[in-house]
Amino acid sequence: MQGWWHTWRGAALAAAMVLGGFCLLLVNGKLWDLWGVQHMRPYFLDLVAVLAAGEAHVRGIDVYAGNPLDPLGRPHVYGPAWLLTGSLGLTGDDAGWLGAVLSAVFIATACLIAAPRTRGAVVLTVLALLSPPVVLGLERGNNDLVVFLLLALAAACAAARPGLAAWGTAAVVVVAAALKFYPLAGLATLAGARDSWRRIILPAVTGAAAFGLHWMAQADEIARVLSLTPNPATIFAHGLGVIHITWTLLSAVRGWLLFGALTAGLLGLAWLWWRRRDLAALLPQDGFATTAWLAGASAWLACFVISASFPYRVVLLLLLLPALLRADAPRAGLEFAALLAGTFWLTAPKFWLAHAAEADPANTTALHLLSVIAGADQTLFLLIALTLLWVTGAWAGRRWATERQGRNVTGPVSAR
């Protein structure tokens, strides 16, 4: 019992602190603006939209044209698989208790997989989970939280013993992709399985084919969903395309924007170059830390490259924490975790300064500071993407070399 508590007490402490912080926000509405989160009523509004769409679908309403059962009349903008909630008897009125359960399960799972052992790791875990974009996802009850849980499950399957684990991983990823499309990139999680890469090809191809069949079966509905999918044109989003959006929206103060971008970029690249060897050796050959990294990195990178993402999609990056905070991780792991948490928290000053600049257009100081932070913020997300590619590429090279060496050793022996 004592050994178990020694292993998981950090996770329990972090979960208690995060849950306590979120509950504090729930009972004191004045704290939302201080936190840098635009609070909307009712709570768990995104979950309300999903459940109301399922309820309306059962009633025969065309939920892609609009939904009178949703408080804001919003059309359904997610995969048609979500509409099964109506067949389960769930309605918008269930969002309160279901959102509370989803939030608690998400917080517990995130802290459990991060498994912080030291005080510093606990602090970084709490800072990451209580950061404005993650709290925004909790406040909205956004379904990216569900995707996070499914990808964590897929990573656990991939880290299990060889054989059926690969098929379990593929199945979970396909379910996640049916719900929100982009998690299909999570099939890359299979690359970290304990099976050889040749043995994961069939589960990966089968999973991709299964999703393709689902897409064809629901082609008309999916086409309508894609035409309705919101594309956030705001400095609070992130993604390759958002860099141009930020440049356009803050065109009047581009000098300050460039100052923030160049400062963050030069410091970030200097750190990446300085820590390149430690980062290249960051991931173990296999195990849960590696499969969780592959799940989170592949899904988040796909979103970063393909489209603009709302702030709460950073929850996918929490899947990196098992690799960054593990006991034997190099110091660069803790530094990268601190970089993630710090980047997440830049949302708060952006929120304050955006409101100050909007309330008083003559307040040029607020606009200039907002531009500096926005430039740094977008550059840091680009640096995060580059770091993910560097770490993952270095791991893939080592894993490939090990696979080839294994084949060279076993081949002649088998021939004898």
Side-chain angles (χ1 to χ4, degrees):
M1 179 65 181
Q2 187 174 3
W4 180 91
W5 175 245
H6 178 75
T7 301
W8 299 110
R9 62 184 178 183
L13 177 60
M17 294 174 67
V18 174
L19 188 59
F22 184 55
C23 289
L24 182 63
L25 288 165
L26 292 177
V27 299
N28 190 341
K30 295 180 180 179
L31 291 176
W32 289 110
D33 286 348
L34 180 62
W35 223 263
V37 174
Q38 184 178 3
H39 172 51
M40 298 181 68
R41 293 187 179 276
Y43 279 107
F44 310 125
L45 195 57
D46 289 353
L47 183 57
V48 170
V50 170
L51 298 179
E55 180 185 2
H57 180 69
V58 170
R59 296 189 186 184
I61 298 173
D62 182 2
V63 295
Y64 302 107
N67 184 4
L69 302 183
D70 177 67
L72 303 181
R74 295 167 291 180
H76 184 60
V77 296
Y78 303 115
W82 289 103
L83 300 178
L84 293 174
T85 58
S87 301
L88 297 175
L90 296 171
T91 69
D93 293 334
D94 293 305
W97 71 266
L98 195 56
V101 170
L102 175 61
S103 298
V105 172
F106 168 80
I107 291 170
T109 302
C111 292
L112 186 66
I113 67 172
R117 302 286 185 90
T118 65
R119 292 178 183 176
V122 170
V123 169
L124 287 173
T125 302
V126 173
L127 285 175
L129 266 70
L130 279 181
S131 64
V134 176
V135 168
L136 176 65
L138 291 168
E139 188 267 350
R140 295 287 196 274
N142 187 263
N143 48 21
D144 276 338
L145 305 182
V146 177
V147 172
F148 169 89
L149 293 173
L150 288 172
L151 289 179
L153 177 60
C157 289
R161 61 183 180 82
L164 294 178
W167 290 97
T169 302
V172 175
V173 169
V174 170
V175 170
L179 295 176
K180 217 165 178 184
F181 307 151
Y182 74 79
L184 186 66
L187 284 174
T189 309
L190 285 166
R194 299 184 189 277
D195 284 302
S196 68
W197 280 2
R198 286 183 296 178
R199 294 184 62 183
I200 65 172
I201 293 176
L202 183 58
V205 171
T206 302
F211 177 75
L213 291 174
H214 165 75
W215 188 286
M216 289 188 291
Q218 306 285 344
D220 292 339
E221 290 181 89
I222 290 176
R224 297 185 70 185
V225 168
L226 293 177
S227 69
L228 295 168
T229 300
N231 189 28
T234 168
I235 63 172
F236 290 92
H238 59 271
L240 276 180
V242 180
I243 296 174
H244 179 263
I245 291 172
T246 304
W247 181 258
T248 302
L249 292 176
L250 298 176
S251 59
V253 283
R254 284 177 176 169
W256 294 94
L257 186 67
L258 282 172
F259 175 75
L262 289 174
T263 302
L266 290 175
L267 291 175
L269 288 174
W271 170 80
L272 180 57
W273 177 258
W274 181 42
R275 292 299 197 187
R276 66 189 186 280
R277 292 187 178 86
D278 285 345
L279 290 169
L282 177 65
L283 296 183
Q285 180 166 312
D286 52 33
F288 179 74
T290 298
T291 55
W293 175 286
L294 294 174
S298 59
W300 185 83
L301 281 170
C303 294
F304 185 81
V305 172
I306 295 172
S307 66
S309 293
F310 286 101
Y312 42 68
R313 191 150 296 159
V314 300
V315 300
L316 299 175
L317 294 175
L318 298 178
L319 288 163
L320 310 181
L321 294 182
L324 300 178
L325 302 182
R326 71 183 200 277
D328 60 341
R331 184 174 179 81
L334 284 176
E335 292 172 353
F336 189 38
L339 173 64
L340 292 175
T343 303
F344 297 172
W345 272 99
L346 285 179
T347 300
K350 278 200 303 181
F351 181 88
W352 306 329
L353 292 166
H355 278 265
E358 184 179 6
D360 182 9
N363 187 353
T364 56
T365 300
L367 183 59
H368 292 163
L369 289 174
L370 173 64
S371 301
V372 171
I373 293 175
D377 173 72
Q378 297 299 336
T379 303
L380 289 175
F381 273 114
L382 182 58
L383 178 70
I384 289 169
L386 292 175
T387 304
L388 295 183
L389 291 172
W390 173 256
V391 173
T392 307
W395 168 84
R398 295 198 314 274
R399 180 70 184 263
W400 176 253
T402 301
E403 293 269 335
R404 290 189 61 185
Q405 184 179 10
R407 288 198 297 271
N408 291 338
V409 170
T410 58
V413 173
S414 299
R416 292 194 194 101

